[in-house]
Amino acid sequence: MRSQTWKSCLGVLCLLAAGTANAAKISFSEKGFIDVGALVQTQFRMVQDGSPDKKNPSYDFLFGRARILLSGQFDDHIGFLIDTDVTYGAATIGGPTGGVAWNSNIYLLDAIGTYKVSKELIIDAGLTLPAFSHNELTSGGKYASITRFSTRTNSPFPPNATRGLRDVGIVLRGLLLDDRLYYRLGVFNGVQGGTSQTGSATNGLATGTATVNGGDAPLFGGMLRFNIMGKEDGFSFCQVCFAKSPLMSIGVSGVYQNNAIRPLVPTGAGTSQYIGQHAWTTAAADFFTDVPFTPDIELSADILFSKYFVGDNAVPSGNDLEALVHLRFGDFGIFGQFEWFDSETKYVGKGNTLGDSKIYRAGLNWFLLQNIYKITYEVSFQDKEQAGNTVDATAVPPNVWTMVLQFSTTF
């Protein structure tokens, strides 16, 4: 296709997007209103050897996110947020998009009622994101890269505890100490337990025995952030902020769920064992900054270190490091992102194809209208332990390159 044709097509796309730039706001009283918005992220993805015959790249058009947002307030104290998302290509509702399954379900992502006592105390109740880190709480339309940290090898939350990283619970948040300290603490429904239908010596359970969370314990999660420069105190944060003054903060966070998992620990060639019920504990520290040197030059950095305690030698146990740096020049930006997971498991093979993992990402952003309309190009490479090898008659998936081109519209 000729260059002029590509420019014409892109121009039409931008004009169509510009026609819907403003969200619909309906006021029904002096302080009461309802706001209607949306976030649509359409992707073209190419994966090395991702075709069904594993001999050619895969070529797919996908939805990264497709959200309808309804928010508002009755007065200065009472507010709400309801939004949906789509599981396009995901194997399960709320799972990561971009898979090979043909699911395209719309599901409820957030449903929150809010009561603001003061800036020091805001109460959220409903289906929401357990607080964990600045990256987890960044708005879906304001990331620098396409892939947020929580789509890495590990998740801060235990299996069967969240859907789309959300759970039903109560959250307290606010600003203290002259707006220097931001807190966000919550208790949530947690892991859904069950009973063994196939008790045997293999899984170490008698039929009818609780598999996990037999006492139906809740999940606890929280975060404390110290604002070094500026402050972020909203329901969600930004990564590329187009800020007029510097933002800088450090945070600590944690997640705890009692009896969350019954790990199957690989112990050697063809052998593994269940080590009983274990709590899922995640402890983390993170750093974020967004510094506008001039209106056209802005540096963003986001670093997160997490420690997982899920049982000795269990695959999810280990250390996790994610880091992102983004530099914006006017309407364009360049970024690099690194993700590293060091699993405690001592054996990669049958029953475990994970082990240690590194993912390298780099890309470009074109901000047609700040974060409202932007195009992001991202290329990544995953370096997994024993990738491409056959261990104990188990083929470990090979390392592959992935390219994603994303068109993002939010209002």
Side-chain angles (χ1 to χ4, degrees), residues 70-408:
L70 185 67
S71 62
Q73 67 176 45
F74 178 77
D75 54 25
D76 289 337
H77 299 284
I78 301 173
F80 75 94
L81 167 67
I82 299 175
D83 66 333
T84 63
D85 209 343
V86 63
T87 55
Y88 189 86
T92 59
I93 293 178
T97 60
V100 297
W102 288 99
N103 291 324
S104 187
N105 300 298
I106 294 177
Y107 68 97
L108 188 64
L109 184 67
D110 297 285
I112 309 158
T114 296
Y115 187 82
K116 182 178 181 179
V117 179
S118 63
K119 69 179 179 65
E120 290 82 11
L121 177 59
I122 301 172
I123 304 170
D124 297 326
L127 179 62
T128 186
L129 179 70
F132 183 67
S133 68
H134 188 283
N135 189 274
E136 304 291 342
L137 296 175
T138 296
S139 172
K142 296 181 179 180
Y143 282 101
S145 63
I146 291 176
T147 308
R148 64 172 182 255
F149 291 166
S150 55
T151 52
R152 57 192 179 271
T153 300
N154 233 1
S155 168
F157 312 119
N160 199 27
T162 61
R163 186 184 70 174
L165 299 178
R166 270 70 170 177
D167 197 7
V168 177
I170 298 175
V171 176
L172 306 180
R173 57 187 171 96
L175 282 168
L176 303 173
L177 303 179
D178 196 26
D179 296 348
R180 292 298 92 190
L181 182 65
Y182 177 83
Y183 72 93
R184 196 158 177 161
L185 309 172
V187 57
F188 301 89
N189 196 44
V191 168
Q192 297 300 293
T195 57
S196 174
Q197 304 301 316
T198 57
S200 67
T202 304
N203 60 25
L205 295 174
T207 300
T209 303
T211 53
V212 291
N213 200 14
D216 205 20
L219 180 146
F220 299 91
M223 176 181 70
L224 296 175
R225 301 202 66 77
F226 183 76
N227 292 311
I228 300 172
M229 292 190 292
K231 66 176 181 180
E232 290 182 281
D233 59 349
F235 180 76
S236 61
F237 298 155
C238 58
Q239 203 168 62
V240 180
C241 303
F242 291 87
K244 295 182 179 180
S245 58
L247 296 170
M248 183 180 293
S249 64
I250 55 175
V252 293
S253 55
V255 172
Y256 178 78
Q257 169 73 68
N258 192 36
N259 293 331
I261 190 171
R262 187 179 293 272
L264 177 64
V265 176
T267 56
T271 61
S272 58
Q273 66 179 16
Y274 286 91
I275 59 173
Q277 290 193 74
H278 276 263
W280 182 288
T281 306
T282 310
D286 72 296
F287 168 83
F288 172 76
T289 189
D290 183 89
V291 181
F293 297 101
T294 71
D296 289 329
I297 301 178
E298 178 183 25
L299 175 67
S300 305
D302 197 349
I303 303 171
L304 170 66
F305 175 80
S306 306
K307 176 70 176 179
Y308 294 85
F309 306 89
V310 191
D312 292 341
N313 297 327
V315 177
S317 291
N319 301 308
D320 204 5
L321 174 66
E322 281 81 31
L324 175 139
V325 176
H326 181 275
L327 186 59
R328 179 178 65 85
F329 300 93
D331 294 333
F332 297 91
I334 183 171
F335 65 85
Q337 183 170 316
F338 173 70
E339 304 159 33
W340 168 67
F341 177 63
D342 178 24
S343 174
E344 278 192 10
T345 186
K346 304 301 183 184
Y347 184 78
V348 177
K350 186 175 182 179
N352 174 35
T353 59
L354 177 56
D356 299 342
S357 175
K358 301 182 185 70
I359 303 178
Y360 306 88
R361 306 183 192 276
L364 303 170
N365 278 306
W366 182 10
F367 300 97
L368 293 111
L369 184 56
Q370 296 191 0
N371 284 310
I372 297 175
Y373 305 119
K374 65 179 180 180
I375 300 174
T376 304
Y377 172 82
E378 179 181 291
V379 61
S380 64
F381 178 74
Q382 185 174 39
D383 180 12
K384 295 177 62 177
E385 185 178 356
Q386 295 287 1
N389 296 328
T390 298
V391 183
D392 191 22
T394 300
V396 181
N399 294 322
V400 295
W401 290 91
T402 301
M403 185 279 289
V404 182
L405 181 66
Q406 176 173 277
F407 297 80
S408 178

